[in-house]
Amino acid sequence: MSTPIDNVRYAKVRPRRKVTVHGGLFTAFGTIWLIIAGYPLLYMLMTSFRTQNGYLSGKPWLPPTNPTLSNYTQVLQAGFFHYFLNSAVVSIASVVLIVTFSLLLAYVIVRSKSRTVRTVFNVFLVGLALPIQAAIIPVYILINKLGLYDTLIGMILPMVAFGLPLSLLILVNFVRDIPNELYESVALEGATDYQIVRYLVAPLSLPALVAVGIYEFIQSWNNFLFPLVLTQSRSVQVLPLAIVQFQGQHSIDVPVTMAVVIFSALPLILAYIFAGKYLRQGMLAGFGK
Amino acid sequence: MLGSRMNWQRWTMMLPAILFFAVFALLPMIVAVYYSGLNWDGVSKATWVGLYNWTHAFVSGQAVHSLLLTLELMALCWILQNPISLVLGVFIAGKQRHRVVYGVIYFVPLLFSAVAIGITWSYILDPEFGLIDSLLQAVGIGNGTENWLGNPSLAMFVVACIIAWQFIPFNSLLYQSGAKQIPASLYEAAMLDGAGPLRSFFHVTLPQLKYTIITTTVLILTGTLTYFDLIYVVTNGGPGDSTEVLAMDMYKEAFTNLNIGAGSVIAVILAAAGLLLSILILKFTGFNRMESQMEGL
């Protein structure tokens, strides 16, 4: 939190700073990491444009000599657009449910002093670090009993449950900052609780809702354990599982597999190019402070 | 008048979240305790065997082995990730343009799923056509046929390195936002006192990032406790059982060997460890206190 006085001081001191050895060391370190982080990504991209022969005979660290798009057409022919749609349905449904449910609960937690409500909040907080892996066996049995094994809904239900604690925590912290006077003024006009959430709380918490939504979208888009345990047919396969199965069948054909890997992250890559700032904020949601 | 009192509308607002969480998260945790006393393949009739699965898991040494491997992975992940993330985070908190651009690129690995990263790295580390061995051979280091993931004494370390590759950017993002909040006046005061860059790093930056260090530590520990996806793809617990951490062990027992009871024992151990960490988080960070923590988000 810089006060105006800080800024003035900062402005005065700053021009005196020169490029120091210290800064140079930092840049060197940062550049080394840039290579470590970036080169494998470049390898991914280069390999996805290689031909199978090019991969086996060429030098893997150089760009392909005869770049080709055939790997990507092969990916689409293998039905990956369908898996892509499955992933989209599962992730969007999960995000909408998680955000709606946790916003409603967050509102009640902030607005009421009931002890039951406090206890509910504490139970959710303890649930924060409970691992999915610890519950997956009973979840598998339960989903089977409900007749939801091998369906998209069967994956969505537990994903929502495990997404709730963190988004609840973030939203409670945000809704708490809405000034009391605002509630009072809309209450005077006779608004019900649902109307208050819809017309006051939701618009005011939009930044937090976006952050939570992005975070939960990335989580469900990349979730692997639920589809692995709860589905088996191709018709309901989501991308992470589809990649692993595809790789199992084409383990020698590395370029095609790299194309699959890039294809599976495409929406997130595009989102990052166009709205990178929001994605970074979303990933930090709740941990930033 | 809507005050702090509960009414039926508010109860209905709470219901969906509570219902989902209770049925698909909380209840399963409790049911797992019951399952750990069963001899059951998930299909035929179950028989109650009491503590047999528990004693068997510990007598055979398998549970202890997986637990130790999980702790080893936690330690490796912390050591590999935290110091590097801190330095990188402070670096990209700077205002110069190249630092900002670097920060944007660092983030990209986080867009991929753990299985996608795992598959990519298993090709990079492939002893025949992989990037690393080919490069090593080209520059004449070793014979370029090291089987990184097939070597039981290397596999866990290599797995920890791949995890670090994906998550160092995330942690450095946390350090970046922490470092940005350090008031410039502190650095000026240190400068006036004659502190050089190194001293102000150790006497201003590091102490000011105390809470960020706690946060990243907690996140690394809870994250590693459940680490599964990447290991499933990269080593599947092998070679032998050298990377068979708790989550992997649980999966194999329950869904490969169809031994629901033995798998549930591991699941309960996981839940207990997760609960312990949760309580520690609340103790350290005071997330549940009723004051605002999110000013200026």
Side-chain angles (χ1 to χ4, degrees), chain A residues 17, chain B residues 86 90 178-179 181-213:
Chain A
R17 280 192 191 163
Chain B
L86 198 153
V90 174
Q181 284 168 20
I182 303 174
S185 53
L186 288 181
Y187 288 106
E188 285 146 31
M191 235 161 84
L192 289 177
D193 289 343
L198 264 184
R199 283 196 57 174
S200 60
F201 179 82
F202 282 104
H203 292 275
V204 179
T205 314
L206 218 49
Q208 287 285 313
L209 289 176
K210 192 172 69 186
Y211 290 105
T212 317
I213 295 173

Side-chain angles (χ1 to χ4, degrees), chain A residues 1 6 9-10 13-14 17 22-23 26-27 29-31 33-34 36-37 39-41 43-44 55-56 60-61 101 104-105 107-109 111-114 116-118 120 122-131 133-143 146 157-158 160-162 164-165 169-170 173-174 176-177 187-188 191-194 196-197 222 224-225 228-229 240 243-244 247 250-251 254 257-258 261-262 265 268-269 272 279-280 283-284 286-289, chain B residues 1-4 6-7 9-14 16-18 20-21 23-26 28-29 31-32 35 40 42 84 87-88 90-91 95 98-99 102-113 115-116 119-121 123-124 129-131 134-135 138 164-165 168-170 173-174 177 181 184-185 187-188 191 197-198 215 219 222 225-226 228-229 232-233 247 250-251 254-255 260 263-264 267 270-271 274-275 278 281-282 287-295 297:
Chain A
M1 301 310 103
D6 281 335
R9 277 199 205 144
Y10 190 61
V13 173
R14 208 181 171 201
R17 280 192 191 163
H22 176 66
F26 252 137
T27 305
F29 191 83
T31 308
W33 186 261
L34 191 73
I36 295 176
Y39 196 57
L41 296 168
Y43 168 84
M44 225 186 243
Y55 176 75
L56 295 176
W61 60 87
F101 294 170
L104 289 173
L105 181 54
Y107 168 77
V108 181
I109 287 170
R111 292 292 290 159
S112 72
K113 296 200 168 68
S114 148
T116 324
V117 176
R118 284 287 299 158
V120 167
N122 280 325
V123 170
F124 270 94
L125 285 177
V126 173
L128 259 185
L130 279 180
Q133 284 78 357
I136 189 68
I137 300 170
V139 165
Y140 164 75
I141 307 277
L142 178 66
I143 292 290
L146 293 172
L157 297 178
V160 171
F162 279 91
L164 284 171
L169 172 69
I170 296 163
N173 279 320
F174 203 90
R176 199 174 277 156
D177 285 348
L188 276 178
T192 65
D193 281 306
Y194 278 103
I196 294 179
V197 172
N222 289 336
F224 178 63
L225 189 63
L228 177 69
V229 171
I243 305 174
V244 172
Q247 192 243 354
H250 300 78
S251 58
V254 182
T257 314
M258 288 297 100
V261 162
I262 290 180
L268 296 182
I269 295 171
Y272 189 59
L279 249 72
R280 285 196 296 275
M283 284 300 275
L284 281 184
F287 307 120
K289 256 204 138 171
Chain B
M1 195 48 106
L2 293 166
S4 57
M6 289 299 288
N7 54 38
Q9 261 197 1
R10 289 189 178 174
W11 291 114
T12 62
M13 290 172 125
M14 292 173 71
I18 294 178
F20 267 77
F21 190 64
V23 173
F24 294 103
L26 221 49
M29 300 283 174
V31 172
Y35 282 174
W40 191 27
I84 298 177
V87 178
L88 285 178
V90 174
F91 170 66
K95 286 194 165 60
H98 71 279
R99 298 191 179 199
Y102 279 26
V104 168
I105 298 170
Y106 289 165
F107 187 87
V108 178
L110 283 169
L111 303 172
F112 291 86
S113 62
V115 289
I119 288 172
T120 305
W121 275 95
Y123 287 133
I124 292 179
F129 300 107
L131 180 62
S134 315
L135 267 180
W165 182 80
I168 282 177
F170 176 70
L173 220 56
L174 289 170
S177 75
Q181 284 168 20
S185 53
Y187 288 106
E188 285 146 31
M191 235 161 84
L198 264 184
T215 311
L219 289 175
T222 49
L225 176 69
T226 62
F228 172 78
D229 305 6
Y232 177 88
V233 172
M250 182 277 302
Y251 177 81
F255 298 104
I260 300 282
S264 296
L270 270 176
L275 210 66
S278 272
I281 298 174
L282 295 185
F287 263 148
N288 63 333
R289 265 178 243 139
M290 286 308 273
E291 302 102 53
S292 165
Q293 302 260 340
M294 301 288 283
E295 279 172 9
L297 180 112

Side-chain angles (χ1 to χ4, degrees), chain A residues 86-109:
Chain A
N86 283 340
S87 272
V89 169
V90 169
S91 308
I92 292 171
S94 303
V95 168
V96 169
L97 293 178
I98 291 171
V99 170
T100 313
F101 294 170
S102 48
L103 182 67
L104 289 173
L105 181 54
Y107 168 77
V108 181
I109 287 170

Side-chain angles (χ1 to χ4, degrees), chain B residues 109-165:
Chain B
L110 283 169
L111 303 172
F112 291 86
S113 62
V115 289
I117 302 266
I119 288 172
T120 305
W121 275 95
S122 56
Y123 287 133
I124 292 179
L125 295 164
D126 183 79
E128 260 182 276
F129 300 107
L131 180 62
I132 297 213
D133 279 329
S134 315
L135 267 180
L136 287 179
Q137 203 171 19
V139 296
I141 302 172
N143 54 9
T145 52
E146 180 63 59
N147 191 355
W148 304 96
L149 291 161
N151 181 342
S153 49
L154 266 181
M156 186 64 103
F157 180 72
V158 175
V159 164
C161 286
I162 304 175
I163 299 175
W165 182 80

Side-chain angles (χ1 to χ4, degrees), chain A residues 35-53:
Chain A
I35 295 165
I36 295 176
Y39 196 57
L41 296 168
L42 200 63
Y43 168 84
M44 225 186 243
L45 197 67
M46 292 188 311
T47 310
S48 77
F49 292 118
R50 261 182 236 283
T51 57
Q52 170 73 350
N53 279 336

Side-chain angles (χ1 to χ4, degrees), chain A residues 48 68-80 256 259 263:
Chain A
S48 77
T68 167
L69 277 172
S70 67
N71 297 315
Y72 286 92
T73 47
Q74 202 182 329
V75 168
L76 289 175
Q77 279 160 6
F80 266 80
V256 166
F263 178 80

